Amino acid sequence: MEERVRHTPEADTEFRIHVRDLVRRPGTHREYSRDLTIVEALGTEVIGVPLGAAATLNIQCEAVTDGIWVSGTFAARAAGQCGRCLDEVHHDLEVPVQGLFVYPDAPHDEGDDADDVFEFDGESIDLEGVVRDAVVTSLPFTPLCEPDCPGLCDQCGARLADDPDHAHEILDPRWSALDSVKDSLRLSDKKES
Ligand SMILES: [Zn+2]
Ligand SMILES: [Zn+2]
């Protein structure tokens, strides 16, 4: 708690891990397990871990020469909407989280802009960005309630999975045009007789 107060509290998030006990001590490592409540939704417009959801972060931090290597998992339940029938969809996620957090004075390899290398202040690591990317990457582009969800009836909007035999009388405008021709023919037949 004391630690939290000493560092800019406004920058503190539930994804921030204090690692001062590991800093500059290559070979040391520590495990962090944290249950947290999501304060800013993670995901895409169609599916994500909503505000207020419970989540678990299980992380191993290991001091290496240039920084701290972080690896572990983030687990939470994502909620969204089926892309076909608009029903609610839930996904239990357990996504891998990893990255190398290097000290500000660590030697930089020019052209070494690997996706999972980040700089940190040498005191605490904020995993929010890493977790956010890992969650977004693991979520389906088009969430589906079932892989073969038949979607909605394009005529009345009924959910077809609830009513597999759902059908409408085919009212093709071309047929109704013919019907009216037939009617008028019948009428003219009657007139002639
Ligand atoms: Zn569906
Ligand atoms: Zn219908």
Side-chain angles (χ1 to χ4, degrees):
M1 235 22 238
E2 212 179 303
E3 251 184 351
R4 280 179 171 265
V5 179
R6 286 179 52 181
H7 304 292
T8 50
E10 66 275 12
D12 245 12
T13 73
E14 55 203 336
F15 292 109
R16 188 173 287 275
I17 290 175
H18 293 279
V19 290
R20 269 186 301 175
D21 53 335
L22 301 178
V23 164
R24 314 283 177 192
R25 294 172 61 205
T28 55
H29 59 87
R30 191 142 76 91
E31 290 193 13
Y32 298 81
S33 185
R34 183 181 287 180
D35 291 325
L36 43 90
T37 305
I38 300 302
V39 293
E40 201 181 321
L42 305 162
T44 66
E45 274 180 29
V46 288
I47 186 165
V49 182
L51 177 77
T56 308
L57 194 57
N58 278 307
I59 292 293
Q60 158 118 239
C61 293
E62 188 179 348
V64 294
T65 313
D66 294 337
I68 308 284
W69 169 250
V70 176
S71 64
T73 56
F74 170 80
R77 179 163 242 223
Q81 202 177 43
C82 174
R84 292 188 196 148
C85 74
L86 313 181
D87 246 27
E88 211 172 313
V89 173
H90 293 283
H91 257 292
D92 286 319
L93 297 177
E94 185 169 317
V95 298
V97 168
Q98 65 176 45
L100 177 63
F101 289 77
V102 296
Y103 303 131
D105 58 359
H108 263 66
D109 270 344
E110 279 319 317
D112 174 22
D113 41 34
D115 283 347
D116 54 357
V117 178
F118 312 92
E119 205 174 275
F120 84 113
D121 61 8
E123 298 209 331
S124 67
I125 283 172
D126 187 358
L127 290 173
E128 185 178 356
V130 178
V131 168
R132 193 171 285 281
D133 286 352
V135 167
V136 169
T137 313
S138 75
L139 288 170
F141 191 66
T142 303
L144 294 175
C145 62
E146 297 289 342
D148 57 352
C149 170
L152 300 176
C153 170
D154 58 9
Q155 303 213 32
C156 71
R159 187 170 177 267
L160 296 176
D162 297 335
D163 188 2
D165 301 324
H166 188 92
H168 291 264
E169 216 183 309
I170 297 162
L171 291 173
D172 189 309
R174 284 167 298 183
W175 288 115
S176 46
L178 264 184
D179 279 346
S180 55
V181 171
K182 262 194 282 178
D183 285 346
S184 58
L185 282 176
R186 234 177 268 135
L187 277 175
S188 50
D189 278 356
K190 272 179 197 156
K191 270 183 213 158
E192 274 168 29
S193 59

